[in-house]
Amino acid sequence: MYWRGLVSVAVCWVVVAVSAQRQNQEQLKIEVLSRSGVCNSQAVTGDKVQVHYTGRLVDGTIFDQSRPRGEPFEFRLGSGQVIKGWDRGLEGACVGESRRLTIPPHLAYGSKGAGGVIPPDATLIFEVELVQLPDKVVLAEEQPLRRPDPSHQQPSAPSQLVVQTLVRPPICSPVTRRGDTLTVHYTGQLVDAKKFDSSVDRGEPFVFQLGQGSVIPGWEEGMEGMCVGESRLLVVPPHLAYGKKGAGGVIPPDATLIFTIQLLNIN
């Protein structure tokens, strides 16, 4: 889905025209609230970004915010890990910059809403501060030439499943248990951020029964105890994914997989 500006500037509106699927569709609106005096680094597609945010409905109701959790929200810009309004609305933001994003339903959660917290066809308003770009993408032509380093070794794959809660609704009941039939949206990536599968791209949620062996063990283990509307990041080591065989020519042998999963419904 979640300030450190040194100099506040006059509030200005930037209206970004969003390619619409039909005429008269609402547009994404971006309001720059504050920006540091010097903009040395801007977010582009592919960057890992860290942000603090507050999400509101148009009536002012806060449905989610990162600051009470004590740490910024991190995601890969342009990779489908968050709603489209974020992927588009944070392009070009400077470290320390704060923006207000007014996101129409088709760039948020659409006609389905989310988790009983966000109603169907809801326009969402986010105040987002870009805190850091921890691994800023550097263009190949900007990188200095280096000789091969024989001491360099690839980091080993994690030995255990890593589960990180990205967004959790304030009311979390019921939670998933083995035997439940779950409806989810997900995006799967390799560790180099290459996307290999996404239900979001297909526009169709994935339905399966937890604990019946119909998904990889990392999903079985990592999705227990989720509540509707919750989003989790799973870093799945090879032995809990597709192991030495890989899968379908898309997932290589011994691949660590990264999934962003949102629970839409417990059937």
Side-chain angles (χ1 to χ4, degrees):
M1 263 269 36
Y2 110 6
W3 314 105
R4 298 184 185 174
L6 301 179
V7 180
S8 294
V9 298
V11 174
C12 62
W13 281 95
V14 180
V15 179
V16 179
V18 180
S19 57
Q21 297 177 355
R22 60 183 184 273
Q23 283 188 328
N24 301 322
Q25 198 168 50
E26 290 181 78
Q27 295 178 341
L28 170 67
K29 296 180 181 178
I30 303 172
E31 181 183 359
V32 178
L33 301 177
S34 65
R35 177 179 287 175
S36 300
V38 178
C39 183
N40 291 322
S41 190
Q42 291 179 286
V44 298
T45 295
D47 282 341
K48 183 184 291 183
V49 301
Q50 292 181 351
V51 301
H52 270 305
Y53 68 92
T54 298
R56 293 182 172 88
L57 303 178
V58 291
D59 65 1
T61 301
I62 295 176
F63 59 82
D64 191 23
Q65 51 187 330
S66 62
R67 291 189 183 277
R69 293 194 288 272
E71 59 182 10
F73 173 54
E74 183 176 283
F75 66 98
R76 185 77 62 178
L77 189 65
S79 66
Q81 294 179 346
V82 292
I83 58 176
K84 293 180 181 178
W86 272 40
D87 272 341
R88 300 181 188 183
L90 292 176
E91 277 272 359
C94 303
V95 174
E97 182 175 333
S98 297
R99 292 184 175 186
R100 180 178 293 130
L101 308 180
T102 302
I103 304 176
H106 71 283
L107 297 178
Y109 295 97
S111 60
K112 294 184 178 180
V117 179
I118 298 174
D121 296 315
T123 294
L124 306 181
I125 301 172
F126 287 94
E127 293 175 359
V128 187
E129 179 199 1
L130 178 57
V131 176
Q132 191 175 356
L133 299 172
D135 65 347
K136 175 66 181 169
V137 172
V138 179
L139 298 178
E141 58 266 25
E142 296 175 347
Q143 297 180 358
L145 295 175
R146 296 184 181 143
R147 294 174 296 173
D149 182 359
S151 66
H152 179 72
Q153 296 180 351
Q154 293 294 327
S156 59
S159 59
Q160 297 180 335
L161 175 71
V162 177
V163 181
Q164 179 183 357
T165 298
L166 302 177
V167 177
R168 189 177 181 90
I171 299 176
C172 185
S173 178
V175 297
T176 57
R177 298 178 298 179
R178 289 182 176 269
D180 287 339
T181 298
L182 310 182
T183 302
V184 303
H185 262 314
Y186 71 90
T187 296
Q189 296 172 280
L190 304 177
V191 291
D192 63 0
K194 181 180 179 181
K195 181 164 49 176
F196 59 83
D197 191 18
S198 175
S199 66
V200 179
D201 291 349
R202 293 192 298 273
E204 182 178 351
F206 175 55
V207 180
F208 70 100
Q209 190 171 12
L210 189 65
Q212 303 302 306
S214 58
V215 291
I216 59 174
W219 273 43
E220 299 276 23
E221 182 179 339
M223 292 194 63
E224 282 207 59
M226 287 186 74
C227 51
V228 174
E230 182 176 343
S231 294
R232 286 185 180 180
L233 179 73
L234 306 184
V235 182
V236 185
H239 71 281
L240 296 178
Y242 295 97
K244 294 184 179 301
K245 294 183 178 180
V250 178
I251 298 173
D254 294 317
T256 295
L257 306 181
I258 301 172
F259 289 95
T260 305
I261 306 175
Q262 181 191 22
L263 179 60
L264 303 177
N265 195 22
I266 301 174
N267 302 316

